[in-house]
Amino acid sequence: MQTNFTPAQLADPHMEASEKILRTCVHCGFCTATCPTYLLLGDELDSPRGRIYLIKDMFEGGKAATAQVVRHIDRCLSCLSCMTTCPSGVHYMHLVDHARAHIEQTHKRPLHDRLMREVLARVLPYRNRFRLAMLGAHFGKPFRALLARLPRVGNRLSAMLELAPAQVPNRSAGDRAGTFPAEGSPRARVAMLKGCAQSVLAPQYNEAAIRLLNRHGVEVVQADEGCCGALVHHMGREDQAKALARRAIDIWSAELDRGLEAIIVTASGCGTTIKDYGFMFRDEPAYAEKAKRVSAAAKDIVEYTLSLGLKAPVRDSDLVVAYHSACSMQHGQQIRTEPKTLLKQAGFTVKDVPEGHICCGSAGTYNLLQPEIAGRLRARKVANIERIRPDVIATGNIGCITQIGKGTDIPIVHTAELLDWATGGPPPAVLAARGLDQDRRPTLAAAE
């Protein structure tokens, strides 16, 4: 794509990076075939190619974001399916992230939108605040139908209450900061992201991952680094995102200095952002090298477990598992076969989900800010999962688990929970509650 930026504009390193991305695009339109919003809405401006045109016009002209640009950028899930499809290697993620930051700097949203985004940014990344918010949502659920009728904000408030759990898990001993020793002779030492929302909603995911790693001879350090910055980064709030990321980088850098092999992440949305720290901090001398080092050390739990070599399963299972590959896993981190390989090694029958490349509609805060589109994507995803008639759904991202779980009665668990159970850990609670933890139980054969 031909561009016409001035030398003064290109003196800005952010604009320089975006200009290079724009020049990579050749208008081929391959991205439209795999874009969820174009698939649903059929509007060229709701495709990656259309959004690229809008961003190019905005950046080249040195313009403030218009309501039209904001509408179509806001509808983007950042699922990054377009990056997997693109034959030219357009790094759409960096371009749309820059556009979102520009929107925050140059566009004044309507009051109700500003307030909603401010609440999300001030609550979600902070565990104690988020826990209090979930307790409040518990008492607000009976009023969901009433709140849904409020003008402008009703749909979003209703979506928040729908996605909130019926009961917030208690704080657990395994969710504490500290060191979890390896079983037997230690073969490695890693840190694990404790994070924000997941540690409140589902602390059992990290607990399962820690047991799994300990069982494989890996010592796990769980520090209190807090939110990685991903949630607010994709809302365009760069200052807040970088402040959160700097804290994590400082804490992990100290651990790396003490002999750390990897930084393990159990939420793939967080993993995509952490692996991008090197780019995010490339022009900050105080953090550029540290950020690059942290990015290089970051590994998803399945990525790292496969490198260890999974222990033989200690129990037989005839469970049919539908593996849902989160967008941040398959498109953001290019991790596609590893989770399925591990699940098969653990003794499960693994089925691919039709249209597995299409987003479920979670996408960080997307299902809270764009609930109608997110709901349509969830219905499509659930219908495809139910077509293969699995016993259980497995995935590696808390957002997907929450989103899909609200649309189906099929139990959904974290991949690490199944791997932990197969190699000697306790069964996932959701499976035990349904009697699916029994060895060699009769089951309905999955559809091919």
Side-chain angles (χ1 to χ4, degrees), residues 6 14 52 133 170 242 245 320 387 424 434:
T6 67
H14 299 287
I52 286 172
N170 294 325
K242 284 191 169 184
V320 176
R387 279 176 56 193
R434 301 193 186 199

Side-chain angles (χ1 to χ4, degrees), residues 49-324:
R49 182 172 62 180
R51 293 184 180 109
I52 286 172
Y53 278 118
L54 291 174
I55 294 169
K56 176 179 182 292
D57 178 68
M58 178 174 66
F59 283 170
E60 276 187 342
K63 303 173 184 177
T66 65
Q68 181 195 40
V69 171
V70 173
R71 179 169 62 256
H72 294 293
I73 297 299
D74 281 354
R75 286 178 182 169
C76 175
L77 295 123
S78 283
C79 69
L80 309 181
S81 182
C82 56
M83 287 180 56
T84 296
T85 309
C86 180
S88 301
V90 176
H91 206 301
Y92 179 81
M93 181 177 81
H94 290 162
L95 183 65
V96 79
D97 284 346
H98 184 193
R100 288 195 169 112
H102 185 78
I103 287 170
E104 286 300 297
Q105 294 163 6
T106 65
H107 180 76
K108 188 172 184 179
R109 295 177 180 273
L111 178 61
H112 68 276
D113 197 14
R114 295 201 307 273
L115 289 175
M116 186 66 66
R117 290 170 177 272
E118 191 69 22
V119 168
L120 293 176
R122 289 182 179 272
V123 172
L124 290 179
Y126 307 99
R127 289 191 295 268
N128 291 334
R129 299 178 198 175
F130 184 54
R131 182 175 290 276
L132 286 173
M134 290 300 95
L135 292 172
H138 172 75
F139 293 105
K141 278 181 177 290
F143 305 100
R144 181 184 164 206
L146 179 64
L147 291 171
R149 292 198 290 269
L150 292 175
R152 298 181 179 177
V153 297
N155 60 339
R156 292 177 173 182
L157 292 175
S158 177
M160 290 180 184
L161 292 175
E162 178 196 16
L163 291 166
Q167 185 175 355
V168 181
N170 294 325
R171 299 178 190 270
S172 65
D175 191 39
R176 63 178 170 82
T179 300
F180 299 82
E183 295 179 11
S185 300
R187 56 191 290 197
R189 181 174 179 270
V190 302
M192 181 169 291
L193 169 69
K194 187 177 179 184
C196 51
Q198 178 177 286
S199 64
V200 174
L201 293 173
Q204 67 270 23
Y205 301 161
N206 266 19
E207 291 172 5
I210 290 170
R211 288 192 301 266
L212 177 67
L213 293 174
N214 289 165
R215 192 175 301 120
H216 285 77
V218 179
E219 179 182 86
V220 179
V221 177
Q222 193 167 235
D224 195 14
E225 74 296 304
C227 178
C228 68
L231 284 171
V232 290
H233 174 62
H234 295 302
M235 294 172 68
R237 300 174 67 102
E238 281 304 286
D239 290 343
Q240 183 183 3
K242 284 191 169 184
L244 292 167
R246 286 188 196 99
R247 173 180 165 83
I249 290 169
D250 286 339
I251 288 174
W252 285 330
S253 293
E255 292 295 343
L256 286 165
D257 289 341
R258 287 191 281 269
L260 204 67
E261 183 173 272
I263 299 165
I264 306 301
V265 185
T266 57
S268 61
C270 300
T272 299
T273 295
I274 294 168
K275 289 182 177 183
D276 202 45
Y277 278 176
F279 178 84
M280 288 172 61
F281 289 93
R282 67 195 183 284
D283 57 349
E284 290 193 22
Y287 276 87
E289 288 303 317
K290 290 198 296 183
K292 189 185 300 183
R293 186 184 182 201
V294 165
S295 290
K299 304 289 181 186
D300 187 83
I301 178 63
V302 294
E303 183 182 16
Y304 185 72
T305 301
L306 189 64
S307 73
L308 295 173
L310 188 71
K311 286 180 175 289
V314 300
R315 58 174 54 85
D316 291 330
S317 174
D318 56 4
L319 290 182
V320 176
V321 179
Y323 176 69
H324 163 72

Side-chain angles (χ1 to χ4, degrees), residues 12 30 39 60 64 108 135 211 226 354 366 413 421 432 438 448:
D12 176 356
F30 276 79
L39 183 68
E60 276 187 342
K108 188 172 184 179
L135 292 172
R211 288 192 301 266
Y366 191 90
V413 299
W421 177 36
Q438 304 302 312
E448 292 296 333

